[in-house]
Amino acid sequence: MATKPLVAVGQVTSTPDKERNFAACAGLVREAAQRGACLVFLPEGFDYIGCNPAQTLGLAEGLDGPLMGRYAELARDCGVWLSLGGFHERGRDWETTQRIYNCHVLLDSMGRRVAAYRKTHLCDVELEGRVSMKESSFTNAGTEIVAPVSTPAGKLGLSICYDVRFPELSLALQRAGAEILTYPSAFTVHTGSAHWEVLLRARAIENQCYVVAAAQTGQNHEQRTSYGHSLVVDPWGAVVAQCHEGPGLCYAEIDLEYLHRVRREIPVQSHRRHDLYGTIGLAP
C-alpha cells in the first residue's frame, strides 16, 4: 500500500519579537521535516503578534522582504512545503494606505511562492467586557479567493482564522477542487472555547474535506492570550490530530482514498439544489 502523505501542524506563542518567533517556528519546521512531513502548517501571526496597531504596522514587511526570504531558505533546506498563515504584509499600496494585509503564503519545497491569499473577512468583534478587536482599523481586506493549489498532500484551499465563520468561502474552495481546507488562526480563549472545534468540524463535514488549523497558543503579550488547540479534522468530521497545551506539533496522514469514499457514500455535492439557492463558486 502506498504511503499516505504526512502533514505537520504547528502551534506557537508569537510575541512582538520577530527573531525569537522565527527561531521557534524554524525549530518546529526542522523537527517536522525529520519526521517525514511533506507539508508544515504555521498559524496566523507566525511572524509576530504586536501589542497594538502601531507596533503591528511598524513591524510589517513585504512579501519580498528579509523574513519571507528566510522562510523560503528554510523550505529549501528542509525540503518541505510551508503554509504560512497570517503574514503581516506591506502590500504595493502601503505608501498610500499605511495599512497591511493579513496574507496566507504557500511556499513549495524549493522555497518558491506558489500562492498568496489575503484574508477577505476581517475580524471586527466586540464581546462586552471580554474581547474587543477591530482588524479593519489597520488591515485591508483581500479582494479575491485563491484557487486551490496542488501540493504533495492534496489540493489545498487557503483561508485564515475568522474566515472559518463563513461557509460560503469553504464551499467555493471545495467546488473548485479543494481536498484540504486550511484555517491558520489566532483565536481568543473566549471564542475558541465556545466555537473553535465545532466550526472546524462543521467545515470538514459539509465539504467532505480535511481541515487543518494551526493555532496560536498562550500569552502573546500582556493584553493577549490565544486559545491554541491546533488540530486536523478528517472528511467524516473526526478530529484525527490535536496539539496539547503550549508550543509544539501534531501530525496527520492525509488519506485521499478515504476522502473520495466519504464523498461517494454521501454524495451531497450532487444533491445540491442550485435551482433553489444558486451556486457558490469562485468568481470568474
Side-chain angles (χ1 to χ4, degrees):
M1 183 177 295
T3 303
K4 301 178 185 70
L6 183 71
V7 301
V9 187
Q11 183 162 282
V12 300
T13 306
S14 293
T15 70
D17 187 336
K18 293 167 73 172
E19 192 61 37
R20 175 183 168 187
N21 299 334
F22 178 77
C25 290
L28 293 180
V29 170
R30 293 190 181 100
E31 180 182 339
Q34 290 175 351
R35 282 280 303 269
C38 64
L39 178 54
V40 184
F41 295 83
L42 294 177
E44 181 180 35
F46 70 94
D47 50 350
Y48 63 89
I49 291 184
C51 294
N52 52 58
Q55 185 179 53
T56 298
L57 292 171
L59 291 171
E61 298 182 16
L63 292 181
D64 57 353
L67 184 59
M68 196 53 65
R70 295 175 76 182
Y71 275 99
E73 183 178 0
L74 180 66
R76 285 193 300 271
D77 290 347
C78 294
V80 297
W81 286 57
L82 295 179
S83 162
L84 305 173
F87 176 75
H88 297 85
E89 180 203 0
R90 288 191 181 185
R92 294 178 180 175
D93 57 1
W94 165 254
E95 295 298 331
T96 56
T97 69
Q98 294 292 292
R99 294 154 67 89
I100 59 174
Y101 292 91
N102 190 338
C103 185
H104 185 167
V105 180
L106 184 65
L107 302 179
D108 70 12
S109 58
M110 297 298 292
R112 295 171 298 208
R113 187 171 74 243
V114 295
Y117 162 75
R118 292 166 180 88
K119 188 178 183 184
T120 51
H121 303 98
L122 301 183
C123 186
D124 289 0
V125 299
E126 192 73 37
L127 306 182
E128 188 173 350
R130 293 168 292 168
V131 177
S132 178
M133 299 180 69
K134 194 167 181 60
E135 190 175 16
S136 68
S137 68
F138 58 91
T139 307
N140 292 315
T143 58
E144 63 180 358
I145 302 171
V146 174
V149 179
S150 294
T151 77
K155 294 196 75 173
L156 202 67
L158 305 181
S159 50
I160 301 172
C161 198
Y162 191 59
D163 287 332
V164 74
R165 297 183 181 274
F166 302 88
E168 298 88 348
L169 175 57
S170 60
L171 287 168
L173 289 168
Q174 195 274 355
R175 187 170 174 81
E179 296 164 322
I180 305 167
L181 301 171
T182 58
Y183 295 100
S185 297
F187 259 58
T188 68
V189 172
H190 290 291
T191 56
S193 58
H195 300 155
W196 173 249
E197 184 176 314
V198 68
L199 281 169
L200 294 166
R201 293 181 70 190
R203 298 296 84 82
I205 293 166
E206 68 198 6
N207 292 290
Q208 299 172 316
C209 285
Y210 281 90
V211 165
V212 179
Q216 291 284 336
T217 187
Q219 188 167 2
N220 306 105
H221 51 71
E222 289 184 2
Q223 294 85 38
R224 163 96 201 184
T225 301
S226 297
Y227 179 63
H229 296 78
S230 299
L231 54 77
V232 181
V233 187
D234 75 12
W236 187 251
V239 176
V240 294
Q242 188 165 15
C243 285
H244 300 296
E245 295 298 319
L249 291 161
C250 63
Y251 298 88
E253 291 183 332
I254 302 298
D255 187 344
L256 295 182
E257 289 187 10
Y258 176 65
L259 178 148
H260 292 297
R261 190 184 105 195
V262 168
R263 292 182 178 183
R264 285 195 307 270
E265 292 180 343
I266 307 181
V268 293
Q269 304 310 321
S270 64
H271 294 160
R272 292 195 181 279
R273 291 295 304 275
H274 302 296
D275 58 316
L276 297 180
Y277 41 73
T279 301
I280 294 174
L282 302 189

